[in-house]
Amino acid sequence: MPHLLHVWPAVSRRIREAFRTLLAFDFDGTLAPIVDLPDHALLAPEVRATLDSLSKQGRYVTGIISGRSLADIRARVDVPGLFYAGNHGLEMTGPGLDFVHPGAEKLRDTQTELYHQLRSNLVDLPGVLVENKGLTLSVHYRMAPERAAEVEARFNRTVSPFARLGGVRTTKGKMVLEARPDLSWGKGEAIARLWEIYPDISLTICFGDDVTDEDGFAVVQAAGGIAVFVGEGRAPTQALHRLESPGEVAEALRLLVSN
C-alpha cells in the first residue's frame, strides 16, 4: 500500500488533469486525533484554515463525511462552503445540497427509544458513554477498555429485540458500537449522491481511518478515484493508499491547496 506523500507527484498530476476533484474527509482519526471523549475532539486552527482555502478553490468540492450528527460536525469544523454529511451520510447539507434519508427519518422515534434503553442498561458502567445522534446512536467505551466484552454483551442484548423487529442494525468501530437504521446506506452511497449533486466531478479522493469508511473506499476506487486509509500500514483496509496520522493528513491538505 503506497504512502500518499511518497507518490504525490503522480497524485498531483491526476488532480491537475481532472476537471473537478471531490475531496471527502472523515473527522475523528482523520482530520482530528481520536480522544477519549467525543466532545473533546478539536480541529487544529491550521487545518481549519487549510480547509477554508480549499473551499474557495473552484476546482475542488470539499467536505466532511462523519459518523457524528450533522449539527455536531458542522459546529465542530465550522468552515463555510464545505459540504457536510453526518450520521455516515444519512443527513447532508452544503452548496446545492439538502438531504435527509427518508427511511432514517421514519426510524427516529425507534432510535430514541433504543437510546433510553441503552442508557438504562449501561448507566452503572463507569467510563461508558451513550450518545444520541438523532438518526443513529453510539456507545463509546474508550475510557473503559477493560469492560469491552461486558459493554458489547449488554449492547447486543438491548439492541437484539429492535433488530428482530426490523429497522435497526449494528456496526462496530474503534472502541465504539453503533445502532443505525437498517438501510442500504453508508459513506459509499453518500459519495454517490454527491456525484449526482455535483456532476462535473471527474476525480474523487476519500480519506478515512475506520471500518465505517470502507464502503466509501470501495465505491471511490471502483470509479477510478483514490482512497486513503489513515493509520498503521498493517491495518486491514480496501484503500490502496495510506497516511500514518492526522498530522500527515494536514500535510496532504497543504499540498492540495498549493497543487
CSV table of all heavy atoms in Angstrom, one decimal, residues 31-96:
chain,number,residue,atom,x,y,z
A,31,LEU,N,-9.1,14.0,10.3
A,31,LEU,CA,-8.7,15.4,10.4
A,31,LEU,C,-8.3,15.8,11.8
A,31,LEU,O,-7.5,16.7,12.0
A,31,LEU,CB,-9.9,16.2,10.0
A,31,LEU,CG,-10.3,16.3,8.5
A,31,LEU,CD1,-11.6,17.1,8.3
A,31,LEU,CD2,-9.1,16.9,7.6
A,32,ALA,N,-8.8,15.1,12.8
A,32,ALA,CA,-8.5,15.4,14.2
A,32,ALA,C,-8.2,14.1,14.9
A,32,ALA,O,-8.7,13.0,14.6
A,32,ALA,CB,-9.7,16.0,14.8
A,33,PRO,N,-7.3,14.1,15.8
A,33,PRO,CA,-6.9,12.9,16.6
A,33,PRO,C,-8.1,12.4,17.4
A,33,PRO,O,-9.0,13.1,17.8
A,33,PRO,CB,-5.8,13.4,17.5
A,33,PRO,CG,-5.3,14.7,16.9
A,33,PRO,CD,-6.5,15.3,16.2
A,34,ILE,N,-8.2,11.1,17.5
A,34,ILE,CA,-9.2,10.5,18.4
A,34,ILE,C,-8.9,10.8,19.8
A,34,ILE,O,-7.7,10.7,20.3
A,34,ILE,CB,-9.2,9.0,18.1
A,34,ILE,CG1,-9.8,8.7,16.7
A,34,ILE,CG2,-10.1,8.3,19.2
A,34,ILE,CD1,-9.8,7.2,16.3
A,35,VAL,N,-9.9,11.1,20.6
A,35,VAL,CA,-9.7,11.5,22.0
A,35,VAL,C,-10.7,10.6,22.8
A,35,VAL,O,-11.6,10.0,22.3
A,35,VAL,CB,-10.0,12.9,22.3
A,35,VAL,CG1,-8.9,13.8,21.6
A,35,VAL,CG2,-11.4,13.4,21.8
A,36,ASP,N,-10.5,10.6,24.1
A,36,ASP,CA,-11.4,9.7,25.0
A,36,ASP,C,-12.8,10.1,24.9
A,36,ASP,O,-13.7,9.2,24.9
A,36,ASP,CB,-10.8,9.8,26.4
A,36,ASP,CG,-9.5,9.0,26.6
A,36,ASP,OD1,-9.2,8.2,25.7
A,36,ASP,OD2,-8.8,9.2,27.6
A,37,LEU,N,-13.1,11.4,25.0
A,37,LEU,CA,-14.5,11.9,25.0
A,37,LEU,C,-14.8,12.6,23.6
A,37,LEU,O,-14.0,13.5,23.3
A,37,LEU,CB,-14.7,12.9,26.1
A,37,LEU,CG,-14.8,12.3,27.5
A,37,LEU,CD1,-14.9,13.4,28.6
A,37,LEU,CD2,-16.1,11.4,27.6
A,38,PRO,N,-15.8,12.1,22.9
A,38,PRO,CA,-16.1,12.8,21.6
A,38,PRO,C,-16.2,14.3,21.7
A,38,PRO,O,-15.8,15.0,20.7
A,38,PRO,CB,-17.4,12.1,21.2
A,38,PRO,CG,-17.5,10.8,21.9
A,38,PRO,CD,-16.8,11.0,23.2
A,39,ASP,N,-16.8,14.8,22.8
A,39,ASP,CA,-16.9,16.3,22.9
A,39,ASP,C,-15.6,17.0,23.0
A,39,ASP,O,-15.6,18.2,22.7
A,39,ASP,CB,-17.8,16.6,24.1
A,39,ASP,CG,-19.3,16.5,23.8
A,39,ASP,OD1,-19.6,16.3,22.7
A,39,ASP,OD2,-20.0,16.5,24.8
A,40,HIS,N,-14.5,16.3,23.3
A,40,HIS,CA,-13.2,16.9,23.4
A,40,HIS,C,-12.4,17.0,22.1
A,40,HIS,O,-11.3,17.6,22.1
A,40,HIS,CB,-12.4,16.2,24.5
A,40,HIS,CG,-12.9,16.4,25.9
A,40,HIS,ND1,-12.4,15.8,27.0
A,40,HIS,CD2,-14.0,17.1,26.3
A,40,HIS,CE1,-13.0,16.1,28.0
A,40,HIS,NE2,-14.0,16.9,27.7
A,41,ALA,N,-12.9,16.4,21.0
A,41,ALA,CA,-12.2,16.4,19.8
A,41,ALA,C,-12.2,17.8,19.2
A,41,ALA,O,-13.2,18.5,19.1
A,41,ALA,CB,-12.9,15.5,18.8
A,42,LEU,N,-11.0,18.3,18.8
A,42,LEU,CA,-10.8,19.6,18.3
A,42,LEU,C,-10.1,19.6,16.9
A,42,LEU,O,-9.2,18.8,16.7
A,42,LEU,CB,-10.0,20.5,19.2
A,42,LEU,CG,-10.7,20.7,20.6
A,42,LEU,CD1,-9.7,21.5,21.5
A,42,LEU,CD2,-12.0,21.5,20.5
A,43,LEU,N,-10.5,20.5,16.0
A,43,LEU,CA,-9.8,20.7,14.8
A,43,LEU,C,-8.8,21.7,14.9
A,43,LEU,O,-9.0,22.9,15.4
A,43,LEU,CB,-10.8,21.1,13.7
A,43,LEU,CG,-10.4,21.1,12.3
A,43,LEU,CD1,-10.0,19.7,11.8
A,43,LEU,CD2,-11.4,21.8,11.4
A,44,ALA,N,-7.5,21.4,14.6
A,44,ALA,CA,-6.4,22.4,14.7
A,44,ALA,C,-6.7,23.6,13.9
A,44,ALA,O,-7.2,23.5,12.7
A,44,ALA,CB,-5.1,21.7,14.3
A,45,PRO,N,-6.4,24.8,14.4
A,45,PRO,CA,-6.7,26.0,13.6
A,45,PRO,C,-6.0,26.0,12.2
A,45,PRO,O,-6.6,26.5,11.2
A,45,PRO,CB,-6.0,27.1,14.5
A,45,PRO,CG,-6.1,26.6,15.9
A,45,PRO,CD,-5.8,25.1,15.7
A,46,GLU,N,-4.8,25.4,12.1
A,46,GLU,CA,-4.2,25.4,10.8
A,46,GLU,C,-4.9,24.5,9.8
A,46,GLU,O,-5.0,24.7,8.6
A,46,GLU,CB,-2.7,25.0,10.9
A,46,GLU,CG,-2.5,23.7,11.5
A,46,GLU,CD,-2.3,23.8,13.0
A,46,GLU,OE1,-2.8,24.7,13.7
A,46,GLU,OE2,-1.6,22.9,13.6
A,47,VAL,N,-5.5,23.4,10.3
A,47,VAL,CA,-6.3,22.5,9.5
A,47,VAL,C,-7.6,23.2,9.0
A,47,VAL,O,-8.0,23.1,7.8
A,47,VAL,CB,-6.6,21.2,10.2
A,47,VAL,CG1,-7.6,20.3,9.4
A,47,VAL,CG2,-5.3,20.4,10.5
A,48,ARG,N,-8.2,23.9,9.9
A,48,ARG,CA,-9.4,24.7,9.6
A,48,ARG,C,-9.1,25.7,8.5
A,48,ARG,O,-9.8,25.9,7.5
A,48,ARG,CB,-10.0,25.4,10.8
A,48,ARG,CG,-11.3,26.2,10.5
A,48,ARG,CD,-11.9,26.8,11.8
A,48,ARG,NE,-12.6,25.7,12.5
A,48,ARG,CZ,-12.2,25.2,13.6
A,48,ARG,NH1,-11.1,25.6,14.2
A,48,ARG,NH2,-12.9,24.2,14.2
A,49,ALA,N,-8.0,26.4,8.6
A,49,ALA,CA,-7.6,27.4,7.7
A,49,ALA,C,-7.3,26.8,6.3
A,49,ALA,O,-7.7,27.4,5.3
A,49,ALA,CB,-6.4,28.2,8.2
A,50,THR,N,-6.7,25.6,6.3
A,50,THR,CA,-6.5,25.0,5.0
A,50,THR,C,-7.7,24.5,4.4
A,50,THR,O,-7.9,24.6,3.1
A,50,THR,CB,-5.5,23.8,5.2
A,50,THR,OG1,-4.4,24.2,6.0
A,50,THR,CG2,-5.0,23.2,3.9
A,51,LEU,N,-8.7,23.9,5.1
A,51,LEU,CA,-10.0,23.6,4.6
A,51,LEU,C,-10.7,24.8,4.0
A,51,LEU,O,-11.4,24.7,3.0
A,51,LEU,CB,-10.8,22.9,5.7
A,51,LEU,CG,-10.4,21.5,6.1
A,51,LEU,CD1,-11.2,21.1,7.4
A,51,LEU,CD2,-10.7,20.5,5.0
A,52,ASP,N,-10.6,25.9,4.7
A,52,ASP,CA,-11.2,27.1,4.2
A,52,ASP,C,-10.6,27.5,2.9
A,52,ASP,O,-11.3,27.9,1.9
A,52,ASP,CB,-11.0,28.2,5.2
A,52,ASP,CG,-11.7,29.5,4.9
A,52,ASP,OD1,-13.0,29.5,4.6
A,52,ASP,OD2,-11.1,30.6,4.8
A,53,SER,N,-9.3,27.4,2.7
A,53,SER,CA,-8.6,27.7,1.5
A,53,SER,C,-9.1,26.8,0.4
A,53,SER,O,-9.4,27.2,-0.8
A,53,SER,CB,-7.1,27.6,1.6
A,53,SER,OG,-6.6,28.6,2.5
A,54,LEU,N,-9.3,25.5,0.7
A,54,LEU,CA,-9.7,24.5,-0.3
A,54,LEU,C,-11.2,24.9,-0.7
A,54,LEU,O,-11.5,24.7,-1.9
A,54,LEU,CB,-9.7,23.1,0.2
A,54,LEU,CG,-8.3,22.5,0.3
A,54,LEU,CD1,-8.3,21.2,1.1
A,54,LEU,CD2,-7.7,22.3,-1.0
A,55,SER,N,-12.0,25.3,0.2
A,55,SER,CA,-13.4,25.5,-0.1
A,55,SER,C,-13.6,26.7,-1.1
A,55,SER,O,-14.6,26.8,-1.7
A,55,SER,CB,-14.2,25.9,1.2
A,55,SER,OG,-13.9,27.2,1.7
A,56,LYS,N,-12.6,27.5,-1.2
A,56,LYS,CA,-12.6,28.7,-2.0
A,56,LYS,C,-12.1,28.5,-3.4
A,56,LYS,O,-12.1,29.4,-4.3
A,56,LYS,CB,-11.9,29.9,-1.4
A,56,LYS,CG,-12.6,30.3,-0.1
A,56,LYS,CD,-11.8,31.4,0.7
A,56,LYS,CE,-12.5,31.8,1.9
A,56,LYS,NZ,-11.7,32.7,2.8
A,57,GLN,N,-11.5,27.2,-3.6
A,57,GLN,CA,-11.0,26.9,-4.9
A,57,GLN,C,-12.0,26.1,-5.7
A,57,GLN,O,-12.4,25.0,-5.4
A,57,GLN,CB,-9.7,26.1,-4.8
A,57,GLN,CG,-8.6,26.8,-4.0
A,57,GLN,CD,-7.2,26.1,-4.1
A,57,GLN,OE1,-7.0,25.2,-5.0
A,57,GLN,NE2,-6.3,26.5,-3.3
A,58,GLY,N,-12.4,26.7,-6.9
A,58,GLY,CA,-13.5,26.1,-7.6
A,58,GLY,C,-13.2,24.7,-8.2
A,58,GLY,O,-14.1,24.0,-8.6
A,59,ARG,N,-11.9,24.4,-8.3
A,59,ARG,CA,-11.6,23.1,-8.8
A,59,ARG,C,-11.8,21.9,-7.9
A,59,ARG,O,-11.6,20.8,-8.2
A,59,ARG,CB,-10.1,23.1,-9.3
A,59,ARG,CG,-9.1,23.3,-8.2
A,59,ARG,CD,-7.8,23.9,-8.8
A,59,ARG,NE,-6.9,24.3,-7.7
A,59,ARG,CZ,-5.8,23.5,-7.4
A,59,ARG,NH1,-5.5,22.4,-8.1
A,59,ARG,NH2,-5.0,23.9,-6.5
A,60,TYR,N,-12.1,22.3,-6.6
A,60,TYR,CA,-12.4,21.2,-5.6
A,60,TYR,C,-13.8,21.4,-5.1
A,60,TYR,O,-14.3,22.5,-4.9
A,60,TYR,CB,-11.5,21.4,-4.4
A,60,TYR,CG,-10.0,21.1,-4.6
A,60,TYR,CD1,-9.0,22.1,-4.3
A,60,TYR,CD2,-9.6,19.9,-5.2
A,60,TYR,CE1,-7.7,21.9,-4.5
A,60,TYR,CE2,-8.2,19.7,-5.4
A,60,TYR,CZ,-7.3,20.7,-5.1
A,60,TYR,OH,-5.9,20.4,-5.3
A,61,VAL,N,-14.4,20.2,-4.8
A,61,VAL,CA,-15.6,20.1,-4.0
A,61,VAL,C,-15.2,19.5,-2.7
A,61,VAL,O,-14.8,18.3,-2.7
A,61,VAL,CB,-16.8,19.4,-4.6
A,61,VAL,CG1,-17.9,19.2,-3.7
A,61,VAL,CG2,-17.2,20.0,-5.9
A,62,THR,N,-15.2,20.2,-1.6
A,62,THR,CA,-14.5,19.7,-0.4
A,62,THR,C,-15.5,19.6,0.8
A,62,THR,O,-16.4,20.4,0.9
A,62,THR,CB,-13.4,20.7,0.1
A,62,THR,OG1,-12.5,20.9,-1.0
A,62,THR,CG2,-12.7,20.1,1.3
A,63,GLY,N,-15.4,18.5,1.6
A,63,GLY,CA,-16.3,18.3,2.7
A,63,GLY,C,-16.0,17.2,3.6
A,63,GLY,O,-15.0,16.5,3.4
A,64,ILE,N,-16.9,17.0,4.6
A,64,ILE,CA,-16.7,16.0,5.6
A,64,ILE,C,-17.8,15.0,5.6
A,64,ILE,O,-19.0,15.4,5.5
A,64,ILE,CB,-16.7,16.8,7.0
A,64,ILE,CG1,-16.0,18.1,7.0
A,64,ILE,CG2,-16.2,15.8,8.1
A,64,ILE,CD1,-14.5,18.0,6.7
A,65,ILE,N,-17.5,13.7,5.7
A,65,ILE,CA,-18.4,12.7,5.9
A,65,ILE,C,-18.1,12.0,7.2
A,65,ILE,O,-17.1,11.3,7.3
A,65,ILE,CB,-18.4,11.7,4.7
A,65,ILE,CG1,-18.6,12.4,3.4
A,65,ILE,CG2,-19.5,10.7,4.9
A,65,ILE,CD1,-18.6,11.5,2.2
A,66,SER,N,-19.0,12.1,8.2
A,66,SER,CA,-18.6,11.7,9.5
A,66,SER,C,-19.8,10.8,10.1
A,66,SER,O,-20.9,11.0,9.7
A,66,SER,CB,-18.4,12.9,10.4
A,66,SER,OG,-18.3,12.6,11.8
A,67,GLY,N,-19.4,10.0,11.1
A,67,GLY,CA,-20.4,9.3,11.9
A,67,GLY,C,-21.1,10.2,12.9
A,67,GLY,O,-22.1,9.9,13.5
A,68,ARG,N,-20.5,11.4,13.1
A,68,ARG,CA,-21.2,12.3,14.1
A,68,ARG,C,-22.5,12.9,13.4
A,68,ARG,O,-22.7,12.8,12.2
A,68,ARG,CB,-20.2,13.5,14.3
A,68,ARG,CG,-19.0,13.2,15.2
A,68,ARG,CD,-18.1,14.3,15.3
A,68,ARG,NE,-16.9,14.0,16.2
A,68,ARG,CZ,-16.9,14.2,17.5
A,68,ARG,NH1,-17.9,14.8,18.1
A,68,ARG,NH2,-15.8,13.9,18.2
A,69,SER,N,-23.3,13.5,14.3
A,69,SER,CA,-24.5,14.1,13.8
A,69,SER,C,-24.2,15.3,12.9
A,69,SER,O,-23.1,15.8,13.0
A,69,SER,CB,-25.5,14.5,14.9
A,69,SER,OG,-24.9,15.7,15.5
A,70,LEU,N,-25.1,15.6,12.0
A,70,LEU,CA,-24.8,16.8,11.1
A,70,LEU,C,-24.6,18.0,11.9
A,70,LEU,O,-23.6,18.8,11.6
A,70,LEU,CB,-26.0,16.9,10.1
A,70,LEU,CG,-25.9,18.1,9.1
A,70,LEU,CD1,-24.6,17.9,8.2
A,70,LEU,CD2,-27.1,18.1,8.2
A,71,ALA,N,-25.4,18.3,12.9
A,71,ALA,CA,-25.3,19.5,13.7
A,71,ALA,C,-23.9,19.6,14.4
A,71,ALA,O,-23.2,20.6,14.4
A,71,ALA,CB,-26.4,19.7,14.7
A,72,ASP,N,-23.5,18.4,14.9
A,72,ASP,CA,-22.2,18.3,15.6
A,72,ASP,C,-21.0,18.6,14.7
A,72,ASP,O,-20.2,19.4,15.0
A,72,ASP,CB,-22.1,16.9,16.2
A,72,ASP,CG,-20.8,16.8,17.1
A,72,ASP,OD1,-20.1,17.7,17.2
A,72,ASP,OD2,-20.6,15.7,17.6
A,73,ILE,N,-21.0,17.9,13.5
A,73,ILE,CA,-19.8,18.0,12.6
A,73,ILE,C,-19.8,19.4,12.0
A,73,ILE,O,-18.7,20.0,11.8
A,73,ILE,CB,-19.8,16.9,11.6
A,73,ILE,CG1,-18.4,16.8,11.0
A,73,ILE,CG2,-20.9,17.1,10.5
A,73,ILE,CD1,-17.3,16.5,11.9
A,74,ARG,N,-20.9,20.0,11.7
A,74,ARG,CA,-20.9,21.4,11.2
A,74,ARG,C,-20.3,22.4,12.2
A,74,ARG,O,-19.5,23.3,11.9
A,74,ARG,CB,-22.3,21.9,10.8
A,74,ARG,CG,-22.8,21.3,9.5
A,74,ARG,CD,-24.2,21.8,9.2
A,74,ARG,NE,-24.1,23.2,8.7
A,74,ARG,CZ,-25.1,23.9,8.3
A,74,ARG,NH1,-26.4,23.4,8.4
A,74,ARG,NH2,-25.0,25.2,7.9
A,75,ALA,N,-20.8,22.3,13.5
A,75,ALA,CA,-20.3,23.2,14.5
A,75,ALA,C,-18.8,22.9,14.8
A,75,ALA,O,-18.1,23.9,15.1
A,75,ALA,CB,-21.1,23.0,15.8
A,76,ARG,N,-18.4,21.7,14.7
A,76,ARG,CA,-17.0,21.4,15.1
A,76,ARG,C,-16.0,21.8,14.1
A,76,ARG,O,-14.9,22.2,14.4
A,76,ARG,CB,-16.9,19.8,15.4
A,76,ARG,CG,-15.8,19.4,16.3
A,76,ARG,CD,-16.1,18.0,16.8
A,76,ARG,NE,-17.2,17.9,17.7
A,76,ARG,CZ,-17.2,18.2,19.0
A,76,ARG,NH1,-16.1,18.5,19.5
A,76,ARG,NH2,-18.3,18.1,19.7
A,77,VAL,N,-16.4,21.7,12.8
A,77,VAL,CA,-15.5,22.1,11.7
A,77,VAL,C,-15.7,23.6,11.4
A,77,VAL,O,-14.7,24.4,11.3
A,77,VAL,CB,-15.7,21.3,10.4
A,77,VAL,CG1,-14.9,21.8,9.3
A,77,VAL,CG2,-15.4,19.8,10.7
A,78,ASP,N,-16.9,24.1,11.2
A,78,ASP,CA,-17.2,25.5,11.1
A,78,ASP,C,-16.5,26.2,10.0
A,78,ASP,O,-15.9,27.2,10.2
A,78,ASP,CB,-17.0,26.2,12.4
A,78,ASP,CG,-17.6,27.6,12.5
A,78,ASP,OD1,-18.6,27.8,11.8
A,78,ASP,OD2,-17.1,28.4,13.3
A,79,VAL,N,-16.5,25.6,8.8
A,79,VAL,CA,-15.9,26.3,7.6
A,79,VAL,C,-17.0,26.4,6.6
A,79,VAL,O,-17.6,25.4,6.1
A,79,VAL,CB,-14.8,25.4,7.0
A,79,VAL,CG1,-14.3,26.0,5.7
A,79,VAL,CG2,-13.6,25.3,8.0
A,80,PRO,N,-17.4,27.7,6.2
A,80,PRO,CA,-18.4,27.9,5.2
A,80,PRO,C,-17.9,27.3,3.8
A,80,PRO,O,-16.7,27.3,3.6
A,80,PRO,CB,-18.5,29.4,5.1
A,80,PRO,CG,-17.9,29.9,6.4
A,80,PRO,CD,-16.8,28.9,6.7
A,81,GLY,N,-18.9,26.9,3.0
A,81,GLY,CA,-18.6,26.5,1.7
A,81,GLY,C,-18.3,25.0,1.5
A,81,GLY,O,-18.2,24.5,0.4
A,82,LEU,N,-18.1,24.3,2.6
A,82,LEU,CA,-17.9,22.9,2.6
A,82,LEU,C,-19.3,22.2,2.5
A,82,LEU,O,-20.3,22.7,2.9
A,82,LEU,CB,-17.2,22.3,3.8
A,82,LEU,CG,-15.8,22.9,4.2
A,82,LEU,CD1,-15.3,22.2,5.4
A,82,LEU,CD2,-14.9,22.7,3.0
A,83,PHE,N,-19.3,20.9,2.0
A,83,PHE,CA,-20.4,20.1,2.2
A,83,PHE,C,-20.2,19.3,3.5
A,83,PHE,O,-19.1,19.0,3.9
A,83,PHE,CB,-20.7,19.1,1.1
A,83,PHE,CG,-19.7,18.0,0.9
A,83,PHE,CD1,-19.8,16.8,1.6
A,83,PHE,CD2,-18.7,18.1,0.0
A,83,PHE,CE1,-18.9,15.8,1.5
A,83,PHE,CE2,-17.7,17.1,-0.2
A,83,PHE,CZ,-17.8,16.0,0.6
A,84,TYR,N,-21.3,19.0,4.2
A,84,TYR,CA,-21.2,18.2,5.5
A,84,TYR,C,-22.2,17.1,5.4
A,84,TYR,O,-23.4,17.3,5.1
A,84,TYR,CB,-21.6,19.1,6.7
A,84,TYR,CG,-20.6,20.2,7.0
A,84,TYR,CD1,-20.8,21.5,6.4
A,84,TYR,CD2,-19.5,20.0,7.8
A,84,TYR,CE1,-19.9,22.5,6.7
A,84,TYR,CE2,-18.6,21.0,8.0
A,84,TYR,CZ,-18.8,22.3,7.5
A,84,TYR,OH,-17.9,23.3,7.7
A,85,ALA,N,-21.7,15.9,5.7
A,85,ALA,CA,-22.5,14.7,5.8
A,85,ALA,C,-22.4,14.1,7.1
A,85,ALA,O,-21.3,13.7,7.5
A,85,ALA,CB,-22.1,13.7,4.7
A,86,GLY,N,-23.5,14.0,7.9
A,86,GLY,CA,-23.5,13.5,9.2
A,86,GLY,C,-24.2,12.1,9.3
A,86,GLY,O,-24.8,11.7,8.3
A,87,ASN,N,-24.0,11.4,10.4
A,87,ASN,CA,-24.5,10.1,10.5
A,87,ASN,C,-24.2,9.2,9.3
A,87,ASN,O,-25.1,8.5,8.7
A,87,ASN,CB,-26.0,10.1,10.8
A,87,ASN,CG,-26.4,10.5,12.2
A,87,ASN,OD1,-25.9,9.8,13.1
A,87,ASN,ND2,-27.2,11.5,12.4
A,88,HIS,N,-23.0,9.2,8.9
A,88,HIS,CA,-22.5,8.4,7.8
A,88,HIS,C,-23.2,8.7,6.5
A,88,HIS,O,-23.3,7.9,5.6
A,88,HIS,CB,-22.6,6.9,8.1
A,88,HIS,CG,-22.0,6.5,9.4
A,88,HIS,ND1,-20.6,6.5,9.6
A,88,HIS,CD2,-22.6,6.1,10.6
A,88,HIS,CE1,-20.4,6.1,10.9
A,88,HIS,NE2,-21.6,5.9,11.5
A,89,GLY,N,-23.7,10.0,6.3
A,89,GLY,CA,-24.3,10.4,5.1
A,89,GLY,C,-25.8,10.3,5.1
A,89,GLY,O,-26.4,10.6,4.1
A,90,LEU,N,-26.4,9.9,6.2
A,90,LEU,CA,-27.9,9.9,6.3
A,90,LEU,C,-28.5,11.3,6.2
A,90,LEU,O,-29.6,11.4,5.9
A,90,LEU,CB,-28.3,9.1,7.5
A,90,LEU,CG,-28.1,7.6,7.6
A,90,LEU,CD1,-28.4,7.0,8.9
A,90,LEU,CD2,-29.0,6.9,6.5
A,91,GLU,N,-27.7,12.3,6.6
A,91,GLU,CA,-28.1,13.7,6.5
A,91,GLU,C,-27.0,14.5,6.0
A,91,GLU,O,-25.8,14.3,6.4
A,91,GLU,CB,-28.6,14.2,7.9
A,91,GLU,CG,-27.6,13.9,9.0
A,91,GLU,CD,-28.1,14.3,10.4
A,91,GLU,OE1,-29.2,15.0,10.4
A,91,GLU,OE2,-27.5,14.0,11.4
A,92,MET,N,-27.3,15.3,5.0
A,92,MET,CA,-26.2,16.1,4.3
A,92,MET,C,-26.7,17.5,4.0
A,92,MET,O,-27.8,17.7,3.7
A,92,MET,CB,-25.8,15.4,3.0
A,92,MET,CG,-25.2,14.0,3.2
A,92,MET,SD,-24.4,13.3,1.7
A,92,MET,CE,-25.9,12.8,0.8
A,93,THR,N,-25.7,18.4,4.0
A,93,THR,CA,-26.0,19.8,3.6
A,93,THR,C,-24.8,20.4,3.0
A,93,THR,O,-23.7,19.9,3.2
A,93,THR,CB,-26.5,20.6,4.8
A,93,THR,OG1,-27.0,21.9,4.4
A,93,THR,CG2,-25.3,20.9,5.8
A,94,GLY,N,-25.0,21.4,2.2
A,94,GLY,CA,-23.9,22.1,1.5
A,94,GLY,C,-24.4,22.9,0.3
A,94,GLY,O,-25.6,23.0,0.1
A,95,PRO,N,-23.5,23.4,-0.5
A,95,PRO,CA,-23.9,24.2,-1.7
A,95,PRO,C,-24.7,23.3,-2.6
A,95,PRO,O,-24.3,22.3,-3.1
A,95,PRO,CB,-22.5,24.6,-2.3
A,95,PRO,CG,-21.6,24.6,-1.2
A,95,PRO,CD,-22.0,23.5,-0.3
A,96,GLY,N,-26.0,23.7,-2.8
A,96,GLY,CA,-26.9,22.9,-3.6
A,96,GLY,C,-27.3,21.6,-3.1
A,96,GLY,O,-27.8,20.7,-3.8
